[in-house]
């Protein structure tokens, strides 16, 4: 297909912590399925990360790491535009503009804002509040068709669609209205310690979170300690959130169905099951870990990828921005 006819895919990950199995199964693992037939932009969203206080040296390191992880998870920089958000200034520019087309009431309803402001009561800054308008800018800058994300981003995505539609209504067609791509089987990986809550990068309890780069020993230990329930049967059910979450993870790595998994562990206890989930997950992530370690040795290469990505992204972003500026009435 000609480059210009390809549909556009955009997604982003915050370099705000060591990435989790949730980030992997809910988002990054799915990114590469678009590489061949779509024009894909995958961004390390550092502007978003500073809505929560970051240690500068760590933010810098994690920015490299997140880019390296994208590649370790199978994203070829020749086939995907991989870049860092703050390297393309139009994100901040359009972010501000969209702030002026996003309603206070809409932002007040965002559950992520409510959660994050409860967790960061000392630093409820304006950026945390307007975060979804910046995310809308990320998406709309590239005239994106499809946004692959986990279910926790659905509300933000709907806001991006509403803001785009509002802008288009005022000024005539300017932005493409994007669609989400939310994988039904892995859209919400749960905490291993509190399986009714999302697995989250910033969880202070390390046992609750599998990191993509955890060693096999760590993965095995965390699954061994995973919270289940007082029964013994491996069965998928809403009233068994711990076991169901482990089954979801096991299914993602083995390709087995829930029925096959139930049969495989029929008559066996949770101990055997947890061991098998740990093995499947640690083995499934081994190639990612190895490739990540290799890529992190070569900072100059990562910088070259960032630079090339930013230049490519800039070309697309500039086109949308000049349209936006003209429609709003800014003097060129
Ligand atoms: P972030 O950095 O929190 O998460 C990155 C991606 O991982 C998904 N995810 C999960 N999926 C399943 N189960 C989980 N437990 C889990 N935890 C995280 C998220 O849904 C996300 O897809 N606001 C975004 C970053 C962003 C963005 C964008 C995404 C900024 N601009 C534009 C798409 C398009 C965020 O905080 O993701």
């Amino acid at each position: 297909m000609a480059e210009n006819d390809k549909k556009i895919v955009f997604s982003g990950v915050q370099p705000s912590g060591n990435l989790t199995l949730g980030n992997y199964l809910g988002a990054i693992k799915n990114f590469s399925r678009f590489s061949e037939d779509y024009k894909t932009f995958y961004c390390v969203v550092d502007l978003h990360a500073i809505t929560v206080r970051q240690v500068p040296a760590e933010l810098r390191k994690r920015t490299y790491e997140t880019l390296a992880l994208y590649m370790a998870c199978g994203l070829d920089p020749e086939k995907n535009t991989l870049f860092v958000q703050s390297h393309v200034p139009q994100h901040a520019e359009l972010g501000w503009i969209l702030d002026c087309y996003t309603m206070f009431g809409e932002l007040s309803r965002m559950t992520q804002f409510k959660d994050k402001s409860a967790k960061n009561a000392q630093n409820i800054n304006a950026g945390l509040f307007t975060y979804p308008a910046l995310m809308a800018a990320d998406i709309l800058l590239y005239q994106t068709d499809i946004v692959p994300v986990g279910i926790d981003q659905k509300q933000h995505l709907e806001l991006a669609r509403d803001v785009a539609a509002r802008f288009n209504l005022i000024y005539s067609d300017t932005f493409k209205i994007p669609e989400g791509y939310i994988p039904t089987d892995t859209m919400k990986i749960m905490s291993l310690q509190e399986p009714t809550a999302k697995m989250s990068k910033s969880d202070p309890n390390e046992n609750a979170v599998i990191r993509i780069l955890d060693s096999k020993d760590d993965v095995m230990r965390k699954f061994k300690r995973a919270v289940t329930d007082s029964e013994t049967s491996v069965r998928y059910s809403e009233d068994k959130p711990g076991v169901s979450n482990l089954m979801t993870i096991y299914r993602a790595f083995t390709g087995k169905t829930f029925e096959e998994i139930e049969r495989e562990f029929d008559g066996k206890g949770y101990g055997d099951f947890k061991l098998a989930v740990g093995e499947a997950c640690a083995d499934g992530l081994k190639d990612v870990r190895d490739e990540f370690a290799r890529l992190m040795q070569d900072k100059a290469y990562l910088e070259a990828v960032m630079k090339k990505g930013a230049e490519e992204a800039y070309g697309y972003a500039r086109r949308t921005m000049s349209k936006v500026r003209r429609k709003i009435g800014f003097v060129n």
Side-chain angles (χ1 to χ4, degrees):
M1 199 187 295
E3 200 64 12
N4 285 342
D5 298 338
K6 285 183 173 177
K7 286 197 167 181
I8 295 185
V9 174
F10 182 97
S11 197
V13 174
Q14 292 192 65
S16 53
N18 291 326
L19 300 191
T20 71
L21 189 60
N23 299 132
Y24 179 70
L25 294 178
I28 305 174
K29 183 168 176 265
N30 304 309
F31 290 176
S32 57
R33 70 179 62 195
F34 299 101
S35 299
E36 293 296 337
D37 300 328
Y38 295 77
K39 173 73 201 137
T40 53
F41 295 90
Y42 297 120
C43 184
V44 181
V45 292
D46 54 351
L47 297 175
H48 279 94
I50 61 165
T51 53
V52 172
R53 206 65 80 220
Q54 303 290 332
V55 176
E58 285 191 3
L59 177 62
R60 199 169 294 122
K61 178 165 155 266
R62 289 197 170 123
T63 301
Y64 282 98
E65 288 178 349
T66 307
L67 184 82
L69 255 183
Y70 275 167
M71 288 191 267
C73 292
L75 294 176
D76 177 349
E78 296 302 323
K79 293 187 180 155
N80 304 272
T81 298
L82 309 179
F83 71 107
V84 177
Q85 188 184 27
S86 67
H87 293 176
V88 181
Q90 287 89 348
H91 287 258
E93 188 182 1
L94 186 59
W96 167 257
I97 290 173
L98 295 186
D99 277 350
C100 305
Y101 298 84
T102 306
M103 299 301 132
F104 182 87
E106 287 175 313
L107 293 171
S108 309
R109 284 193 290 276
M110 295 291 118
T111 55
Q112 186 166 303
F113 172 69
K114 292 183 203 165
D115 290 350
K116 286 206 174 174
S117 43
K119 283 186 193 150
N120 298 282
Q122 303 309 314
N123 182 23
I124 306 178
N125 59 70
L128 195 63
F129 188 64
T130 61
Y131 180 116
L134 179 60
M135 178 161 159
D138 300 339
I139 298 167
L140 303 180
L141 258 184
Y142 298 92
Q143 305 293 347
T144 302
D145 295 281
I146 299 171
V147 185
V149 280
I151 191 98
D152 62 326
Q153 296 301 317
K154 188 165 183 245
Q155 200 184 25
H156 290 164
L157 193 63
E158 277 164 6
L159 183 72
R161 289 166 54 90
D162 291 347
V163 172
R166 179 173 305 140
F167 195 99
N168 288 351
L169 196 67
I170 302 173
Y171 298 106
S172 80
D173 246 9
T174 309
F175 298 121
K176 179 84 68 68
I177 308 288
E179 300 284 340
Y181 174 91
I182 299 176
T184 44
D185 48 345
T186 52
M187 62 189 173
K188 194 171 185 188
I189 302 297
M190 309 308 268
S191 153
L192 297 190
Q193 290 298 313
E194 201 189 323
T196 48
K198 180 185 89 161
M199 182 181 285
S200 158
K201 269 186 220 128
S202 57
D203 196 318
N205 182 352
E206 261 313 302
N207 283 324
V209 188
I210 302 287
R211 309 277 171 189
I212 303 178
L213 299 172
D214 274 349
S215 68
K216 180 161 186 178
D217 284 353
D218 284 343
V219 170
M220 297 303 292
R221 181 175 41 78
K222 290 178 185 180
F223 276 115
K224 212 184 276 176
R225 292 186 186 167
V227 167
T228 45
D229 51 54
S230 55
E231 294 183 14
T232 51
S233 66
V234 174
R235 182 168 52 81
Y236 191 88
S237 160
E238 248 178 48
D239 59 1
K240 291 167 73 69
V243 170
S244 300
N245 187 40
L246 296 182
M247 289 177 74
T248 299
I249 295 170
Y250 192 58
R251 176 176 67 170
F253 283 105
T254 61
K256 293 175 184 170
T257 64
F258 287 145
E259 294 72 44
E260 286 169 333
I261 299 170
E262 286 172 6
R263 248 179 283 129
E264 183 179 352
F265 294 97
D266 189 22
K268 296 181 187 159
Y270 288 159
D272 284 346
F273 174 51
K274 288 177 175 180
L275 216 62
V277 182
E279 290 274 353
C281 173
D283 293 349
L285 292 174
K286 183 177 181 307
D287 290 348
V288 175
R289 278 199 308 274
D290 292 349
E291 182 60 6
F292 173 82
R294 196 184 67 77
L295 286 163
M296 285 302 289
Q297 299 294 317
D298 196 349
K299 215 168 153 188
Y301 173 60
L302 295 176
E303 282 167 357
V305 169
M306 280 178 194
K307 181 159 181 285
K308 175 175 162 290
E311 282 164 3
E312 284 169 12
Y314 186 87
Y316 280 78
R318 205 173 43 109
R319 242 174 286 159
T320 299
M321 269 321 295
S322 73
K323 199 162 150 192
V324 168
R325 295 173 58 90
R326 188 162 33 82
K327 297 230 180 178
I328 291 180
F330 290 162
V331 174
N332 247 339

